[in-house]
Amino acid sequence: MNKVLEFPRGFLWGSAISAHQTEGDNLHSDWWEWEHSKTRLEALKEKGLSPADFQSGAACDFYNRYEGDFDLLAQLHQNAFRLSIEWARIEPREGHFVDEEIRHYERVLAALKRRRITTFVTLHHFTLPQWLAEKGGFLKRASTEYFMRYIERVAPRLSPYTDFWLTINEPEIYASHAFLFGIYPPQHKSSLEMYWVTRNLIRAHNHAAVYLRTATSKPVSMAYHLTDLQPINIFAHFSRSLSHYLANEYVLQRTIGTCDYIGVNYYGHSHIGVFGRRLQSLSHHETSDMGWGIHPEGLERVLVDLKKFHKPIYITENGVADAADAKRVRFIKDHLYYAGRAIQRGVDVRGYFYWSLLDNFEWHHGFAPKFGLVKVDYATQNRSIRPSAREYAKIAADNLLIYE
Ligand code: BGC
């Protein structure tokens, strides 16, 4: 039997992107530098991969094409959008702020406001200006002062067009991928460094949040990457609790006090073994093109677990790599269904942002994964709306999910 789930009035229906992944030509960033570095090029060559597929280049040329992309948003009945501001453009050299780039973002956000779209603005989404990366970036305690100086420049200017701030995107992923697993630049592999970076991100967020709340009176959060972790058996309960604390709660507990709401990025679930090992889920599940398990039920558990903080929640990212667009409708509907169940259980969920509006540059995976509601032909920069986007648009327009 079909179930009808009505979402609360004023629910935000949107999608999300980040600057480096879509804008193109982010020349002064650490990622750009790394994508063109000898180490990176040699590593790709060794695997027989073509560098062009792993260099952001013009990406989706969103920097120039935002008006057209926002028309698509409006056409798809989305009433909210999440994007990030690129620090490396605004401060390409230490202490040298480029007013024209701040004006660019004023124009971008004004273009959303003209379409009556609620804006979520992220101030740090994985990339740094290269000069700051050379100084050690978030490894150094001084990063907070640099972050604050940048924010104090941009926030007063962008605040008239910003409805919600997100200070830092997924500190957990950034710290682990760049400083422990050696995946993102600077490709370090040190648990001590990961710890320091995490501490500095927490510090930077708390300073930024206090400033943003007082200076702009707009609600602030981080975009937390939260994973549903389940014990493999009764003996694994303790290691599951420890993993949950380290993966999800450590940053949350130290930053929630300065957040007005909670931004949740949800991508999935793992089982935890007796000795804390993360395993793919044991239950039968579908996978994305990237081999990631699809676990909509986990979203309900993650959301219910956040009820204790008594803050509004926005799902700031949730998406699937699916080039054929064969699983995306099911993916969205299933996740919305479990978000809806959490709402029925009293969790104050107020919005959902699909990742992503556009196919884009998927970090170290390059251009192959296709997360977009809208397909991008990178050679021509043509956009085409995928059928799943139209299904999502219907849900957004009706504020209602009919769930089979
Ligand atoms: C990040 C995005 C990324 C997405 C899919 C999130 O961790 O915030 O930048 O593209 O996951 O991997």
Side-chain angles (χ1 to χ4, degrees), residues 66-290:
Y66 62 89
E67 288 277 3
D69 291 335
F70 295 163
D71 285 341
L72 296 177
L73 270 186
Q75 224 177 299
L76 292 170
H77 300 296
Q78 295 185 24
N79 58 12
F81 193 57
R82 174 180 169 216
L83 50 68
S84 75
I85 297 302
E86 187 55 57
W87 186 356
R89 285 187 194 282
I90 292 167
E91 192 183 359
R93 281 182 284 124
E94 182 177 352
H96 171 74
F97 288 87
V98 183
D99 198 63
E100 179 45 30
E101 295 294 357
I102 303 179
R103 251 185 277 144
H104 169 78
Y105 288 114
E106 286 177 321
R107 288 193 292 270
V108 172
L109 294 172
L112 286 167
K113 294 315 302 171
R114 271 201 307 281
R115 291 167 177 83
R116 297 175 189 283
I117 288 174
T118 300
T119 53
F120 279 60
V121 177
T122 312
L123 295 156
H124 176 264
H125 196 125
F126 293 171
T127 52
L128 283 179
Q130 172 61 17
W131 63 262
L132 182 53
E134 282 167 17
K135 283 178 176 281
F138 280 104
L139 249 184
K140 297 289 155 62
R141 202 174 150 84
S143 51
T144 297
E145 281 64 53
Y146 292 117
F147 192 49
M148 288 308 298
R149 189 174 63 174
Y150 148 67
I151 291 179
E152 284 169 14
R153 282 289 176 121
V154 292
R157 298 276 296 276
L158 303 184
S159 166
Y161 317 96
T162 301
D163 297 303
F164 292 81
W165 296 111
L166 286 154
T167 53
I168 293 170
N169 182 66
E170 298 186 347
E172 314 83 353
I173 296 294
Y174 177 69
S176 61
H177 283 49
F179 293 92
L180 178 66
F181 302 139
I183 298 173
Y184 293 174
Q187 291 196 288
H188 293 186
K189 289 187 179 176
S190 151
S191 33
L192 192 64
E193 286 192 4
M194 180 184 77
Y195 173 73
W196 279 121
V197 169
T198 305
R199 299 290 301 193
N200 287 330
L201 291 167
I202 290 169
R203 185 166 176 264
H205 160 83
N206 284 330
H207 277 75
V210 168
Y211 166 76
L212 290 165
R213 291 165 91 182
T214 40
T216 73
S217 317
K218 303 288 168 71
V220 186
S221 178
M222 266 185 162
Y224 298 96
H225 178 96
L226 300 179
T227 307
D228 174 47
L229 299 173
Q230 294 302 314
I232 196 170
N233 56 31
I234 52 162
F235 305 108
H237 272 280
F238 175 73
S239 60
R240 182 265 167 200
S241 302
L242 188 64
S243 301
H244 173 70
Y245 173 74
L246 293 174
N248 297 329
E249 291 269 331
Y250 184 85
V251 176
L252 251 175
Q253 285 181 10
R254 287 162 178 77
T255 49
I256 195 76
T258 55
C259 288
D260 301 291
Y261 71 98
I262 310 176
V264 178
N265 292 2
Y266 176 78
Y267 284 91
H269 151 108
S270 294
H271 266 103
I272 300 292
V274 180
F275 299 109
R277 234 166 58 108
R278 253 188 208 218
L279 309 158
Q280 274 276 0
S281 173
L282 299 180
S283 49
H284 174 74
H285 60 86
E286 288 245 46
T287 53
S288 75
D289 290 351
M290 296 167 85

Side-chain angles (χ1 to χ4, degrees), residues 19-27 32 35-36 52 55-65 89 358-361 367 376 378-379 381 383:
H20 186 76
Q21 295 177 271
T22 56
E23 288 181 344
D25 292 337
N26 189 14
L27 307 180
W32 185 276
E35 288 159 22
H36 296 84
Q55 289 171 340
S56 51
C60 312
D61 193 26
F62 175 77
Y63 189 86
N64 298 304
R65 290 169 195 265
R89 285 187 194 282
L358 304 168
D359 287 342
N360 60 46
F361 179 71
F367 285 104
V376 176
Y378 296 109
Q381 291 296 351
R383 274 58 170 153

Side-chain angles (χ1 to χ4, degrees), residues 342-355:
I343 294 171
Q344 284 170 349
R345 292 173 67 184
V347 187
D348 187 7
V349 184
R350 299 190 184 178
Y352 175 85
F353 291 76
Y354 177 80
W355 181 273

